[in-house]
Amino acid sequence: MSERGPEADDPPSGVDGPEGRSLWRRADRVLPGGGVYLTRSADFAGRGVLPGFIAAAEGCRVIDADGRGYLDFLGANGPNLLGYRHPEVEAAARGQAGRAVSASFLPPALVELVEALLGRYPAMGWGIVSKTGSEPLGLSVRVARQHTQRSRVLAFESAYHGSDPELAIRPPAGALADVTRRVQRLAWNDADAVRALSASAGDSLAAVLLNPLDQNPRQPTRPAEGAFLSAIEALQQRNGVLLVLDDVRHGFRLHPRGSEHLLGVDPDLICLGKALGNGYSVSVLLGRESLRPAARKILYTSTYVFEAPPMRAALAVLDIYERDDVFRRLTRAGERLRDGLIAAAAATGHRISVTGPVTMPTLLFENDPGFERQRAFARRAAELGAIFHPALNWNLSLAHGDAEIEEALEIARRALGETPGPD
């Protein structure tokens, strides 16, 4: 949310209709604003650039509060791997809800889901099912500290690992700064810095948290370099530091068997979420068998942790992912979208970059330091009926078929043609 006050005027133009603008006024009165919900709010794109409130969704299309439809390339910021309201996933969740949602003890679906995931990740020996992407990251750190009896953790600059204050990418000032003092951050791809830390303080580290990619707002996606990954591997072997692979955002989108196969790393703990439930609230921490004693000593529970419909949804997602060759189809659609965008930009006199995996690409305009052309393109595309986020990476889904990709490219061509060029 923005810092606008409750009496702020509506933007002079934008995609929100009367109901959307009314909801913004109401939200400004009752929500705290600032960083709260920021990356999940249309304010992150700039108010009026994208529709602020989504009332309905199906497949790869959404409808805003004023009843206007859009082709959506954000996918709820990643979860909708198969498309909104995939009928088989909905049926699985609905069937479970007809029997029990939350009950006193463990649901059978809990055991079935962990068994299914261990079948996909044979190096892992156990799993803990949770609700949000932040929870398995926090749990991974607790397991690592319990196992190693060390307190320090290594992460990397700007790497997002959930909303736990200790792992926040914006450490709070004042007294709360003590919360983050045991988490050290180094520059991404700085192999020398990792080696230096290994030599000087590696024996005090419990874990290193690793995203598969450096994929942050308004910047090109940067893959992990070989020397960087080798330095992390040496840190594991030399110092007994546990490697936590944060695959919450990228799981199922980089490699069909897990991002560790793309990176060539050997994680001790793997965090999954987002795409696992196709919009249902389920996440999982998987760990090696050797870490089971440490995990057993941790008390973890929450009110809705045994909510069974999301677990049934996740089981359906895993089945559909394999049966329908989802990764290959996402890749094919992403390649068509990327190639079409680059061609459309060239034809309209723009220079763009499309970086990152084609299943979750980032589009940036060259020579656009203030991101004005970025926002102008996204705004015009939204007016024409497609959501292309100007600040975040996009996320393709199984619902983006050939016809939808061609429709999106036609919108992009028109929007690019109406976007001012560089000075």
Side-chain angles (χ1 to χ4, degrees):
M1 303 298 294
S2 72
E3 296 292 351
R4 289 158 49 101
E7 303 304 323
D9 294 332
D10 290 332
S13 63
V15 298
D16 286 304
E19 183 62 21
R21 292 194 296 271
S22 173
L23 283 165
W24 274 125
R25 288 193 296 270
R26 291 162 60 189
D28 284 333
R29 292 189 182 99
V30 300
L31 301 181
V36 176
Y37 303 144
L38 180 61
T39 57
R40 297 301 306 278
S41 163
D43 261 2
F44 199 50
R47 188 164 299 189
V49 172
L50 302 177
F53 296 86
I54 300 301
E58 187 165 3
C60 59
R61 299 181 188 272
V62 298
I63 298 173
D64 71 12
D66 288 278
R68 187 171 180 213
Y70 305 83
L71 265 174
D72 178 39
F73 282 86
L74 194 55
N77 221 29
N80 284 282
L81 181 74
L82 307 179
Y84 296 108
R85 297 176 61 208
H86 188 284
E88 292 178 69
V89 177
E90 296 299 306
R94 189 167 56 247
Q96 176 62 55
R99 298 189 297 275
V101 175
S102 292
S104 301
F105 302 120
L106 309 179
L110 173 68
V111 178
E112 294 173 37
L113 177 56
V114 176
E115 287 176 337
L117 286 168
L118 295 181
R120 291 183 59 84
Y121 296 87
M124 301 293 109
W126 51 266
I128 301 173
V129 176
S130 53
K131 300 296 291 179
T132 73
S134 296
E135 287 172 328
L137 267 299
L139 285 167
S140 74
V141 172
R142 292 175 64 186
V143 171
R145 285 172 171 158
Q146 180 65 42
H147 177 78
T148 63
Q149 291 296 293
R150 305 169 185 172
S151 63
R152 295 179 64 192
V153 173
L154 171 62
F156 299 97
E157 292 174 0
S158 300
Y160 181 73
H161 296 295
S163 58
D164 187 298
E166 184 180 31
L167 302 177
I169 55 176
R170 297 177 181 175
L176 291 180
D178 286 345
V179 174
T180 65
R181 64 182 174 81
R182 295 183 299 176
V183 178
Q184 181 166 352
R185 290 187 179 261
L186 300 178
W188 179 259
N189 273 336
D190 192 339
D192 289 340
V194 174
R195 285 191 285 264
L197 182 66
S198 177
S200 65
D203 291 339
S204 66
L205 290 173
V208 53
L209 304 183
L210 179 68
N211 285 328
L213 301 168
D214 180 44
Q215 191 167 47
N216 284 296
R218 298 189 181 94
Q219 70 176 44
T221 298
R222 297 187 296 170
E225 296 175 355
F228 175 63
L229 294 173
S230 294
I232 291 173
E233 181 183 16
L235 182 65
Q236 285 179 271
Q237 295 177 349
R238 172 177 174 175
N239 304 100
V241 177
L242 301 185
L243 175 58
V244 178
L245 181 64
D246 181 354
D247 222 6
V248 171
R249 288 178 62 198
H250 299 98
F252 305 95
R253 293 185 178 275
L254 301 190
H255 191 284
R257 305 309 298 175
S259 298
E260 67 274 19
H261 294 283
L262 179 68
L263 299 177
V265 297
D266 197 16
D268 300 287
L269 295 149
I270 298 174
C271 302
L272 299 171
K274 284 196 182 278
L276 177 62
N278 200 58
Y280 282 89
S281 54
V282 60
S283 56
V284 175
L285 172 65
L286 301 176
R288 290 190 176 278
E289 183 61 32
S290 59
L291 304 181
R292 184 188 294 265
R296 286 176 60 91
K297 294 179 181 178
I298 291 171
L299 174 63
Y300 166 69
T301 185
S302 66
T303 302
Y304 296 110
V305 72
F306 294 150
E307 188 181 14
M311 301 178 196
R312 288 291 172 200
L315 283 163
V317 169
L318 294 173
D319 287 343
I320 295 164
Y321 187 80
E322 294 295 333
R323 183 197 71 198
D324 292 354
D325 201 5
V326 171
F327 181 77
R328 182 189 63 81
R329 292 169 66 179
L330 288 181
T331 300
R332 178 176 177 272
E335 289 171 345
R336 291 191 62 194
L337 181 65
R338 176 200 60 199
D339 294 347
L341 289 168
I342 292 172
T348 53
H350 294 284
R351 298 183 64 182
I352 64 170
S353 66
V354 182
T355 62
V358 294
T359 57
M360 46 192 313
T362 296
L363 182 148
L364 294 171
F365 284 75
E366 296 184 13
N367 301 315
D368 186 28
F371 300 99
E372 293 301 323
R373 282 187 294 144
Q374 195 89 16
R375 284 189 290 272
F377 165 70
R379 181 184 295 109
R380 185 60 183 134
E383 291 170 348
L384 293 169
I387 294 176
F388 298 136
H389 205 290
L392 298 173
N393 68 274
W394 308 347
N395 295 284
L396 275 77
S397 76
L398 184 62
H400 289 105
D402 291 346
E404 289 77 16
I405 294 297
E406 186 51 46
E407 181 183 349
L409 288 173
E410 179 56 32
I411 290 172
R413 293 182 194 106
R414 291 181 59 187
L416 285 163
E418 298 173 32
T419 299
D423 294 334

